[in-house]
Amino acid sequence: MHKLKIIRVTVACFVLVAITLYFIDFTGLLPESFKFLTRIQWVPALLMVTPLLTVLILLSLFAGRFFCSAICPLGILQDVMIRFTARFQKGKKHKYAYQKSYGWIRYGVLLLTFISFVTGSSAVLLWLDPYSNFGRIITNLIRPGVIAINNLAATVFSSLKLYSVPVYRQEIAALSYVSLAAVLVILIVLFLFTWRHGRMYCNVVCPVGTFLGMLSKVSLFRIRINQITCTSCGLCESYCKGGCIDTENKTVDVSRCVSCFNCLRVCKKGGVGYKYVAPSSDKLPKPAYFSRSRREALTVTSALLGSAVASGMGRVTPAKIEADKAASRKAIMPPGANDRLSFNRKCTACHLCITKCPNHILTPATTHYGVSGILEPTVSYKKGYCNYNCTICSDVCPTGALQKADIKEKRLIRIGVAQLRLDLCIVPTKKNDCGACAEHCPTQAVKMVPYENGLTIPTLDQRLCIGCGGCEFICPIRPYQAIYVEGLELQSRAASPEENQSDNNKVQDFGF
């Protein structure tokens, strides 16, 4: 095996295994440093605008689309599918052929993604981002299966009285049917592409792949065919997963080359090489297919710049704000989302926060945020409440959709406001003593005050409420709780109990 392919496969195996384990980990054994793997993905780095973005750009300008074959988890997953499906073919290996570039589809998808983003929505990016699609696959299919196996093992060990084995039952958080359907659709699409056409999804549908293809055209190192030693045997073309090698004309479409290095491994004549290409050599005459591709890239780049100017001022319109308010009036965003528009713009629904939430209160949205926010995380208090001392969701968010906050700041983030309906409360309706909501309120927003016949009744101070859902979760009234949390369009800062106590002291000192 060629040494470059050994390096590529080694890096790819590490990335795939490590990032999969990070999503699956339900025991908290993996160190937090593993979240670095989510930060080096292209879309998270782009949305966060971190120094890692510069590193990824330089990597593409240096080595072409090495990211697609060694760092992108969805790309590596496709390689696994190719390896697996090859066993069901008549031959042991796939036989590929040079494919059309489908430039109008590639650049059209990239243009659509860009326009959607600059107009304030990540709706298109949400469905096409390779990292987020991989995260949803692991979250919705692989992780529940692993937890089910763990629970089966825990049952077996318990029945055998092997209590020394540290395996314990874990809750399998049920996600939405919409999320599961989305995962199955992307898997079917990937399977159909990889079955016959290798990495065609990366070269036709994926906007990240198209953008990196534009950068790879000027990369310093590229796959090149030696016009003298190449015998046009077609062996390299038949092993090219990108369908970018044309042995008849002895050319390589570098914009679609995913740097898998299969061609280097199979060529025994020295006809294919991974070589340094001086920038000045780009001035030499190029094959016709290269010229067309470059013209397409320049045309699309101009269109992207024009769309940014044309639609940049229209990102936040009154009509859009009113539509979003109507769609998300009661939806609860995770802490750190700040406002609905910025959350929708940055969240790509990778579901990492959903997998890491210890109380399982985050769930994929359906119509909570409107059509543009499908699959983004929303808060539900059916199974728990937001832990007063937990910042995990904002800590792990790789795109900045949830801004990081320390414990002290998080305790005052108001993600919603409780609403009290005394007409449903069992104290006035059934004359029974309760007080569960007040007992579980960490900010003292809910207090019990004298009522009648020795009973006490809850009262609510919304200034102190942070919308954690402790009161809603514990309220015994079903199916509609007497106290519930309603989401906010704009998250704000609640008054702290200390500030409220200070205000009360000032009022009392005033002399009433």
Side-chain angles (χ1 to χ4, degrees), residues 34-93:
F34 271 56
K35 67 183 178 183
F36 173 76
L37 296 170
T38 67
R39 303 303 202 266
I40 61 174
Q41 302 303 315
W42 246 98
V43 171
L46 177 64
L47 294 176
M48 288 284 284
V49 195
T50 63
L52 288 174
L53 178 61
T54 303
V55 175
L56 292 175
I57 293 175
L58 292 176
L59 174 64
S60 300
L61 292 176
F62 179 80
R65 292 177 61 179
F66 183 78
F67 172 89
C68 296
S69 60
I71 301 177
C72 175
L74 193 70
I76 304 170
L77 179 62
Q78 291 176 71
D79 286 343
V80 174
M81 287 182 172
I82 291 171
R83 190 82 173 182
F84 177 77
T85 56
R87 298 184 178 277
F88 296 93
Q89 302 289 333
K90 291 183 179 180
K92 291 186 178 180
K93 298 291 183 181

Side-chain angles (χ1 to χ4, degrees), residues 11 47 59 97 102 105 162 165 171 180 198 220 247 329 375 385 389 396 399 405 407 435 476 493:
V11 174
L47 294 176
L59 174 64
Y102 297 100
I105 298 179
L162 298 175
V165 181
E171 180 182 358
L180 181 60
L220 297 180
T247 52
R329 193 174 303 278
L375 301 184
Y385 55 90
N389 297 315
V396 301
T399 66
I407 294 294
R493 182 183 184 275

Side-chain angles (χ1 to χ4, degrees), residues 336-352:
N338 288 338
D339 67 89
R340 178 69 197 110
L341 292 178
S342 64
F343 180 61
N344 176 258
R345 181 180 173 85
K346 286 193 171 184
C347 180
T348 58
C350 71
H351 290 182
L352 181 59

Side-chain angles (χ1 to χ4, degrees), residues 372-416:
S372 64
I374 293 177
L375 301 184
E376 292 179 351
T378 185
V379 177
S380 172
Y381 296 128
K382 293 181 179 179
K383 294 185 177 181
Y385 55 90
C386 186
N387 195 313
Y388 192 52
N389 297 315
C390 177
T391 62
I392 290 178
C393 59
S394 60
D395 289 342
V396 301
C397 179
T399 66
L402 303 178
Q403 295 189 10
K404 190 173 182 179
D406 58 31
I407 294 294
K408 186 176 180 180
E409 294 172 335
K410 191 266 182 182
R411 289 172 178 171
L412 297 178
I413 295 178
R414 177 184 282 151
I415 63 176

Side-chain angles (χ1 to χ4, degrees), residues 96-371:
Y96 301 111
Y98 180 73
Q99 303 169 7
K100 296 189 298 182
S101 65
Y102 297 100
W104 65 276
I105 298 179
R106 298 167 62 195
Y107 298 118
V109 171
L110 180 62
L111 178 62
L112 178 63
T113 304
F114 184 83
I115 292 176
S116 172
F117 180 74
V118 297
T119 53
S121 173
S122 63
V124 178
L125 194 61
L126 181 151
W127 291 98
L128 298 181
D129 172 31
Y131 156 72
S132 297
N133 273 309
F134 178 82
R136 291 194 290 269
I137 290 172
I138 301 301
T139 302
N140 290 268
L141 290 181
I142 308 301
R143 191 172 189 269
V146 173
I147 296 178
I149 295 174
N150 171 83
N151 291 347
L152 177 62
T155 302
V156 172
F157 291 144
S158 178
S159 63
L160 296 176
K161 301 186 184 304
L162 298 175
Y163 303 116
S164 59
V165 181
V167 178
Y168 310 100
R169 293 187 61 84
Q170 303 287 334
E171 180 182 358
I172 302 178
L175 301 183
S176 68
Y177 291 113
V178 174
S179 181
L180 181 60
V183 166
L184 293 177
V185 168
I186 187 63
L187 279 176
I188 292 173
V189 170
L190 289 178
F191 179 79
L192 293 177
F193 274 115
T194 57
W195 180 260
R196 292 292 184 183
H197 304 290
R199 286 289 202 96
M200 193 174 184
Y201 177 87
C202 302
N203 285 331
V204 177
V205 180
C206 179
V208 176
T210 301
F211 178 73
L212 294 183
M214 296 170 66
L215 294 181
S216 66
K217 290 180 180 181
V218 293
S219 62
L220 297 180
F221 285 87
R222 314 172 198 170
I223 296 293
R224 306 280 282 187
I225 294 181
N226 191 312
Q227 302 291 323
I228 299 176
T229 59
C230 177
T231 61
S232 297
C233 66
L235 191 60
C236 59
E237 180 179 336
S238 67
Y239 277 81
C240 177
K241 293 181 289 188
C244 63
I245 298 180
D246 183 1
T247 52
E248 183 178 350
N249 297 309
K250 297 184 179 181
T251 58
V252 179
D253 184 354
V254 293
S255 70
R256 291 185 287 143
C257 175
V258 295
S259 300
C260 67
F261 304 131
N262 281 352
C263 54
L264 302 181
R265 180 176 64 87
V266 299
C267 182
K268 307 300 181 183
K269 305 291 185 179
V272 183
Y274 187 64
K275 300 179 180 179
Y276 170 76
V277 180
S280 59
S281 65
D282 286 337
K283 298 180 181 179
L284 299 175
K286 296 294 188 299
Y289 84 93
F290 187 90
S291 300
R292 288 197 303 271
S293 182
R294 170 160 288 186
R295 286 198 297 270
E296 288 173 347
L298 292 175
T299 301
V300 171
T301 302
S302 301
L304 292 179
L305 294 176
S307 66
V309 174
S311 60
M313 296 302 294
R315 291 185 301 175
V316 183
T317 62
K320 179 174 178 59
I321 292 176
E322 291 303 318
D324 283 345
K325 283 183 178 180
S328 62
R329 193 174 303 278
K330 292 186 178 181
I332 306 173
M333 298 179 291
N338 288 338
D339 67 89
R340 178 69 197 110
L341 292 178
S342 64
F343 180 61
N344 176 258
R345 181 180 173 85
K346 286 193 171 184
C347 180
T348 58
C350 71
H351 290 182
L352 181 59
C353 60
I354 294 177
T355 65
K356 296 299 182 180
C357 178
N359 285 10
H360 307 296
I361 64 169
L362 296 182
T363 182
T366 51
T367 59
H368 301 74
Y369 303 130
V371 177

Side-chain angles (χ1 to χ4, degrees), residues 399-467:
T399 66
L402 303 178
Q403 295 189 10
K404 190 173 182 179
D406 58 31
I407 294 294
K408 186 176 180 180
E409 294 172 335
K410 191 266 182 182
R411 289 172 178 171
L412 297 178
I413 295 178
R414 177 184 282 151
I415 63 176
V417 177
Q419 307 292 328
L420 178 60
R421 292 193 56 180
L422 292 178
D423 59 317
L424 296 178
C425 181
I426 64 174
V427 176
T429 58
K430 297 184 179 181
K431 307 301 180 183
N432 289 335
D433 190 19
C434 184
C437 54
E439 293 175 1
H440 288 78
C441 179
T443 66
Q444 304 175 32
V446 183
K447 292 184 179 181
M448 304 302 292
V449 298
Y451 178 53
E452 60 183 32
N453 299 326
L455 296 176
T456 56
I457 195 170
T459 182
L460 175 63
D461 185 352
Q462 292 187 336
R463 297 177 305 164
L464 296 173
C465 180
I466 59 174

